[in-house]
Every structure is written in C-alpha cells, then in structure tokens.
C-alpha cells in the first residue's frame, strides 16, 4: 500500500497503532528490554540499567500461608459466611500447583450451605405465605401497614436469589482470595517486608458480632413497632439482615486493606528511590501496583451479582419506606409506626453510604495518592533508567485506573450516592403528586 501510494504521487497511509491489553503490553516491553540487553552484551557494555520482568515461579504453599496475613486476620468473616451458607469457599491443603483457596460444588462447605439454605427457605416460605395472606385478605388496613408488608415481603425474596447471586460466583471469589495470597508473598519477596494490617483482626471480629446484633435489634424494633409483626417472623429476617450487614462489612474490610497495601507499596517505593540505581526495583513495583489495581477490579467482578442485588434492595426499600412514612404523616400525623419506617430508611442509606464512601477512599489511595507521590519525585536527582521507570509507572496508573466496578453494571463511588438520591427524589415527587391529587379529589367529593 505504501509503495502504491508513493508511485502515484500520494502520501503513504500512517501506521495503525495496535491496541494492547496489559499482558500483551507487558510481553512487548519485556521483548524490547531483552533486545536492548542483547545489544549491550554484544557491544560489551554494562547492562545493569536494563531489566526484564522475572519469570513466574511456583511458590511454596507453606510460605504463602506464612505471609498470608490478610487471610489470618479476616478468617472470622470467612468462617461466618461458611456457617451462614452465604459463600461456601474452602481452604485447600498445602500442595504445590494447587490454589490455596478453592470452590467445589461437591465440597462439604457447599453441602452445609445447601442444608442451611433449605432450613432457612422453609421458614421464609412460611412467613411469606402468612404475610401475603394478610396483605390480600385485609384491604381495609392502614396505608403504613401495607407499606410495611410490601417492604418485608420484598426482603424475603432476596433469600431465593442467594444461590444464583452468590454461589454461582464462588470460583471468582476463590480467584480473588488467591490474588490476595499471591500478592502478599510477592510483595514480601520484592520489598523484603510483609504487609501489616493493623487492627484488622479485632475489627473483623467486631464487625461479625455487630452484624448479627444489628440484625437482631432491627427485627425486634419492627416487632415492637408493628402490631401484626409476630415474634416468629423475626427468625426469617435475622439471617437476611445479617447477610446484608456482613456484605457491607466485607466491602469495608477489603477497601481498608487496599488502602493499607497501597500505603505500604508507596512507602517502600520512597525508600527505594533514595537508594542507588533503583530502576530494577521500580520495575517490580510497577507490576505490584498493576496487580493491586487488578485485585480491586476482581473484587467487583467476584461479588457483582450480590452487590448489584444489594443496591437494588436498598433503592427499592428506601423509596417505598420514605413514601409510606411521608404519606402516612400527611394523612394521620406522626406516630410511632412511622419511626419504624424511618429506621429502615436510615439503615438502607447508611449501608449505601458506607459501600460508596469506602470504595471512593480505596480508589483514591491506590490511584490519586500513589500518583501524587510519584509526581513529587525529583527526577533530576535520579538516573535515566529510573526516570523512565517512573514515567512507565505513571502511564500504568493512567491506563489501569483502580475503579471498583460491578462487572460492568455500575461504578461504586460517591457519585452513585448522589445518583441514587436524585432518582429517589424524582420518584418521590411523582408519587407525592399522585397522593396530593387523590387527597384533593376526596376532599372535593366529601364537600
């Protein structure tokens, strides 16, 4: 094509720049560096400033366990998920070429999850039948009682989505856990120091206990505030509310751990920059940072269905509870029953705020804060190879932004809070307009 264009007096077409994924780009960079090293070796020059990514080796599983502090500090939440039958992943025996965390449909953890789910579903079906029967056979109920029924009936349906939303993504969750295990050992081999998660062990235990205590408190408050909410109904809602709380705790712990790992990596990078010829270490730090960014993306991919369902439940419940409380206050004034609806609203919005806020802080610590420390490096005081590595690390951060994404469904950040609030306000305005119009029509007919 170029020869044909030049022979006819035209301009040859420009070269098409290929679009490479991170693995292809890494392979291309290693090939270029390897050729540069061969040229230097042929000329007999020194080659300390040309580095190639080290080949992947099979790590000792005992060493992986030794340095897997994230698993040991957060094991209580993993065991709680296994007991509740929410995420039946398991720890494999320490055998080479076998991932430390696995998921199998024939494992004893899955069998236990099926048993617990069957018992829980039996109670849920009984409560659901009672609530639907009362909702259908009592058309003269007050509006706030009907709203209560709609909210708690919708919560019961989350139980039926558990196998599809959680168990089906068990292999992806195991991949995420193994990424954490391998990352910590790789960090130790690169920097010479492990990642320390301060106060994560007591925090995880506290969140496990608090998740169930909050579930009990919410259900008992609804029992006392609703006259038709029987005590045995609460046994169907205890595990459902506790599951929502535990998933919020899981998100908080992982986002906190991402920030700790990013801080440890930036501190190690600052120490390396002060040393002599830090280019080789910067190459390994670049790959560590890319692995950390991929881990953040894997978190959203592994739990995409659960947190997607989570956001939908929060959105629906908040709109119905807010509309029901405001409508009932307009009709009959404020009573203790509306307090229960406001408790549900604040609870749902609190969960949404924690998830979005922690994702925002994790993305900022891994992305913007790390990038700012790189930009503050005085490049005139380092050699050319180090300057090139710093520039390549900045390009890697720009090309692999640490975004918490639910497998393409939504980005989890503070913008999601404002988006949800704006949608809720729109729907509430429309519903209240219908309510006010209906009230005026009743008043005119009575007059």
């Amino acid at each position: 094509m170029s020869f044909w264009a030049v022979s006819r007096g035209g301009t040859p077409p420009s070269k098409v720049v290929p679009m490479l994924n991170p693995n292809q780009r890494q392979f291309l960079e290693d090939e270029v560096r390897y050729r540069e090293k061969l040229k230097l070796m042929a000329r007999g020059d020194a080659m300390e400033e040309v580095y190639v990514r080290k080949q992947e080796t099979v790590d000792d599983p005992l060493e992986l366990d030794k340095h897997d502090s994230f698993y040991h500090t957060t094991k209580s939440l993993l065991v709680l998920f296994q007991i509740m039958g929410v995420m039946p992943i398991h720890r494999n025996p320490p055998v080479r070429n076998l991932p430390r965390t696995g998921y199998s449909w024939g494992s004893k953890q899955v069998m236990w999850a099926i048993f617990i789910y069957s018992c829980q579903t039996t109670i849920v079906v009984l409560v659901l039948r009672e609530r639907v029967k009362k909702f259908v056979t009592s058309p003269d109920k007050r509006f706030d009682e009907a709203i209560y029924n709609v909210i708690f009936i919708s919560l019961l349906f989350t139980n039926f989505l558990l196998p599809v939303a959680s168990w089906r993504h068990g292999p992806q969750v195991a991949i995420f856990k193994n990424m954490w295990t391998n990352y910590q050992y790789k960090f130790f081999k690169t920097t010479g120091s492990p990642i320390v998660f301060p106060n994560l062990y007591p925090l995880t235990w506290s969140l496990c206990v608090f998740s169930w205590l909050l579930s009990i408190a919410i259900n008992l408050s609804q029992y006392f505030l609703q006259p038709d909410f029987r005590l045995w109904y609460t046994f169907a809602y205890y595990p459902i509310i506790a599951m929502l709380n535990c998933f919020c705790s899981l998100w908080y712990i992982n986002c906190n751990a991402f920030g700790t790992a990013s801080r440890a990596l930036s501190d190690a990078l600052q120490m390396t920059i002060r040393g002599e010829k830090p280019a080789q270490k910067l190459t390994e730090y670049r790959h560590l940072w890319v692995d950390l960014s991929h881990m953040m993306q894997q978190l959203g991919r592994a739990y995409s269905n659960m947190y997607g369902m989570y956001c939908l439940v929060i959105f629906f419940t908040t709109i119905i509870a807010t509309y029901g409380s405001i409508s009932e206050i307009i009709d009959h004034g404020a009573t203790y029953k509306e307090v229960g609806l406001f408790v549900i609203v604040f609870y749902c919005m609190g969960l949404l705020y924690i998830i979005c806020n922690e994702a925002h802080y994790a993305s900022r610590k891994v992305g913007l804060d790390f990038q700012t420390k790189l930009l503050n490096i005085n490049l005139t005081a380092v050699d050319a190879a180090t300057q090139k590595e710093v520039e390549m690390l900045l390009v890697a951060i720009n090309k692999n932004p640490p975004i918490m994404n639910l497998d393409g469904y939504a980005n989890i950040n503070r913008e999601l809070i404002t988006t949800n609030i704006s949608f809720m306000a729109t729907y509430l305005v429309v519903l209240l307009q219908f309510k006010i119009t209906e009230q005026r029509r009743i008043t005119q007919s009575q007059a």
Side-chain angles (χ1 to χ4, degrees), residues 143-358:
F143 185 70
D144 58 347
E145 295 178 0
I147 290 295
Y148 272 122
N149 274 324
V150 171
I151 291 174
F152 282 94
I153 287 174
S154 64
L155 282 177
L156 291 176
F157 280 101
T158 60
N159 176 78
F160 302 107
L161 299 176
L162 182 62
V164 178
S166 182
W167 298 355
R168 191 170 64 90
H169 285 258
Q172 293 294 329
V173 176
I175 291 174
F176 173 71
K177 296 292 184 183
N178 289 320
M179 290 176 72
W180 258 121
T181 302
N182 296 326
Y183 183 83
Q184 291 172 95
Y185 187 47
K186 188 186 298 183
F187 185 94
F188 174 75
K189 290 193 298 183
T190 302
T191 64
S193 59
I195 302 176
V196 180
F197 300 99
N199 304 322
L200 194 58
Y201 182 80
L203 176 64
T204 306
W205 269 101
S206 302
L207 289 175
C208 290
V209 176
F210 179 74
S211 297
W212 270 93
L213 290 179
L214 182 61
S215 174
I216 295 172
I218 290 175
N219 282 285
L220 290 181
S221 67
Q222 300 303 319
Y223 167 70
F224 288 111
L225 292 172
Q226 297 184 52
D228 61 341
F229 196 99
R230 299 180 182 178
L231 183 61
W232 71 276
Y233 289 179
T234 59
F235 291 98
Y237 294 103
Y238 286 144
I240 294 176
I241 303 297
M243 179 184 68
L244 299 178
N245 297 335
C246 287
F247 271 112
C248 184
S249 302
L250 175 70
W251 190 270
Y252 177 83
I253 289 170
N254 279 284
C255 290
N256 195 352
F258 288 141
T260 302
S262 176
R263 196 180 310 114
L265 183 60
S266 63
D267 293 342
L269 185 143
Q270 296 288 339
M271 294 293 295
T272 303
I273 288 292
R274 300 188 187 101
E276 300 226 354
K277 292 187 178 180
Q280 183 178 15
K281 283 293 182 182
L282 287 181
T283 303
E284 299 176 8
Y285 288 162
R286 172 161 53 91
H287 297 304
L288 278 176
W289 186 93
V290 172
D291 291 341
L292 184 62
S293 178
H294 289 172
M295 249 196 319
M296 294 181 65
Q297 298 170 17
Q298 180 63 26
L299 173 63
R301 189 178 302 114
Y303 295 98
S304 59
N305 283 3
M306 281 305 303
Y307 285 107
M309 179 190 72
Y310 202 95
C311 294
L312 290 177
V313 169
I314 290 174
F315 181 74
F316 176 78
T317 304
T318 305
I319 289 180
I320 295 298
T322 306
Y323 173 66
S325 57
I326 295 176
S327 178
E328 194 62 22
I329 289 173
I330 293 175
D331 289 342
H332 303 93
T335 61
Y336 284 108
K337 290 184 178 181
E338 282 65 54
V339 174
L341 290 174
F342 281 116
V343 167
I344 296 173
V345 171
F346 287 126
Y347 167 73
C348 292
M349 293 305 298
L351 292 180
L352 183 63
Y353 175 78
I354 292 172
I355 290 175
C356 296
N357 195 56
E358 291 304 316

Side-chain angles (χ1 to χ4, degrees), residues 90-102:
H90 59 272
R91 196 74 167 175
N92 287 323
V95 180
R96 283 186 178 272
N97 297 320
L98 184 66
R100 297 301 301 118
T101 304

Side-chain angles (χ1 to χ4, degrees), residues 393-404:
L393 184 51
L394 289 170
V395 171
I397 295 174
N398 188 38
K399 297 297 183 181
N400 299 277
I403 298 174
M404 312 286 277

Side-chain angles (χ1 to χ4, degrees), residues 32 39 72 78 82 91 93 129 137 188 196 235 248 332 337 355 428 444 446:
V32 172
K39 291 179 182 179
H72 296 300
L78 175 63
Q82 291 176 343
R91 196 74 167 175
R129 187 178 64 178
T137 58
F188 174 75
V196 180
F235 291 98
C248 184
H332 303 93
K337 290 184 178 181
I355 290 175
L428 285 174
Q444 290 176 357
Q446 290 177 349

